Amino acid sequence: MKILDSQGRLFGKLSILDVGAVLIILLVVVGIFFFPGTSGSVAQVGGVTTKPIQIDVIALGLKGRDLQSLFKVGDKVNMIIRNQPYGQVDIKAVKTLTRTVAVPQPNGTVKALPDPREEESFSRNMMFTLQGKGQITKDGPVFGNLKIKIGNTVELEGFNYNFNASVIDVRIQK
């Protein structure tokens, strides 16, 4: 009995192409389960350290009746960066920024005075200082798997609010 016959079958029963396909499938399975390679994101690979990171964010035109009572120093707020939930960060400081209007004076100068319009009494500009744990990479600080830099838009979410804010400062704590 020949090992390979005229039709390309081994011992007259198995096709050599079928045997090759089974071997390739077995090699792929072994490669996936026994040699998975590196796992995790690019931001986690390499020498990274985790440190507290403070960011200042500014939210313009927040609408609500009593915004001061919503945000208290020491509370936690959920932060979402580029539609990816990061987790909770601590509120370290809250500052309401006064809306002003440029008012020309009789002597020709311009003076900034508080906006007297009633509809603006329900709209506030606020600045928050938030702190969370992040990784320090060669490209900068990373919250979760996302880089956090000045200019990023983040979403802050609590029990009864959800709004967007822009990052205006990033500080790595010692």
Side-chain angles (χ1 to χ4, degrees), residues 129-150:
T129 300
L130 307 172
Q131 181 170 322
K133 294 231 179 254
Q135 298 171 339
I136 311 304
T137 66
K138 63 180 174 83
D139 293 332
V142 175
F143 276 156
N145 291 331
L146 298 165
K147 295 177 189 175
I148 190 79
K149 297 188 180 228
I150 295 172

Side-chain angles (χ1 to χ4, degrees), residues 30-39:
V30 167
I32 289 173
F33 290 111
F34 294 109
F35 303 103
T38 60
S39 62

Side-chain angles (χ1 to χ4, degrees), residues 75-107:
D75 283 352
K76 293 196 178 289
V77 62
N78 293 317
M79 187 166 69
I80 301 164
I81 307 167
R82 293 190 201 114
N83 294 327
Q84 300 295 320
Y86 162 68
Q88 292 189 331
V89 293
D90 296 319
I91 298 176
K92 292 295 183 182
V94 179
K95 182 179 178 185
T96 301
L97 305 173
T98 307
R99 284 186 175 231
T100 58
V101 176
V103 179
Q105 301 297 306
N107 64 0

Side-chain angles (χ1 to χ4, degrees), residues 4 26 58 61 65-66 69 73 78 84-85 90 100-101 109 111 122 125 147 149 157 159 164 172:
L4 193 62
L26 284 175
I58 189 165
R65 281 191 190 275
D66 190 16
S69 67
V73 173
N78 293 317
Q84 300 295 320
D90 296 319
T100 58
V101 176
T109 62
K111 193 173 187 181
F122 296 108
N125 295 336
K147 295 177 189 175
K149 297 188 180 228
E157 181 179 51
F159 175 71
N164 290 328
I172 300 167

Side-chain angles (χ1 to χ4, degrees), residues 16-34:
I16 195 163
L17 293 176
D18 292 339
V19 171
V22 168
L23 283 175
I24 290 174
I25 291 171
L26 284 175
L27 287 173
V28 168
V29 169
V30 167
I32 289 173
F33 290 111
F34 294 109

